[in-house]
Amino acid sequence: MRSSPRGFESPSRYNAAYPDCVLPAEPLRLRGYRAALQGVEDDVTGAAGSMTVEFLPGGAPGPGQPDRLGTVVATHWGQGPVLVLAERVSLRAAWESIVQRWPARLSEVRAALELTCHDRVNP
C-alpha cells in the first residue's frame, strides 16, 4: 500500500518549503483540475471534503503557452492541507495525463501522474 503524499498543514508552510512553486492567495484563478467543478474525493488521507489539483507555478499551461517544470499539489480549494503529489515535472504532461482520465478520486489522480511522471511522483 502506498503512503500518503507529503503534506503541509497550510498554504503558507507549503510556500515556505516551495518558494519557486508558490500557491497563490487565490488559487481558483489558476488553471487546475476540479473534476467537473465537484472537486476530487480524498480517498488517500481520508480527510473530509473535496479537493482541487493545482499545477504550480502559475497553473497548467494552456494551449499555445510554453510548458514549464513545476509541482502538482492537491488542496481543499486553496486551503490546507496542501498535499504534494509530484515535483519537478512537466506541468503540461501532468495536466494531459490527468484530464485524459477525468479522475474523481485522489488515488486516481496519483495513478495518472505515475503513468507520466513516474520518477518524480511523491509516494
Side-chain angles (χ1 to χ4, degrees):
M1 180 178 200
R2 293 193 58 182
S3 62
S4 294
R6 182 175 181 198
F8 296 88
E9 62 188 48
S10 69
S12 61
R13 289 188 184 246
Y14 162 81
N15 287 345
Y18 290 85
D20 294 335
C21 297
V22 297
L23 182 66
E26 295 185 35
L28 293 178
R29 294 179 182 235
L30 298 175
R31 184 173 184 230
Y33 179 73
R34 292 164 179 81
L37 298 178
Q38 299 299 308
V40 176
E41 176 189 342
D42 181 359
D43 64 338
V44 173
T45 69
S50 60
M51 304 187 86
T52 63
V53 178
E54 306 296 350
F55 302 79
L56 304 171
Q65 293 180 323
D67 192 12
R68 58 194 176 281
L69 292 180
T71 302
V72 180
V73 302
T75 71
H76 286 279
W77 300 90
Q79 303 300 309
V82 178
L83 304 177
V84 179
L85 304 177
E87 304 172 75
R88 295 177 305 280
V89 297
S90 159
L91 295 181
R92 182 177 314 286
W95 168 263
E96 289 173 356
S97 181
I98 290 169
V99 298
Q100 286 174 358
R101 291 163 184 79
W102 292 106
R105 293 179 180 82
L106 190 56
S107 61
E108 296 166 347
V109 170
R110 293 174 76 194
L113 288 169
E114 285 180 347
L115 293 173
T116 302
C117 315
H118 56 80
D119 59 337
R120 295 194 173 111
V121 173
N122 289 344

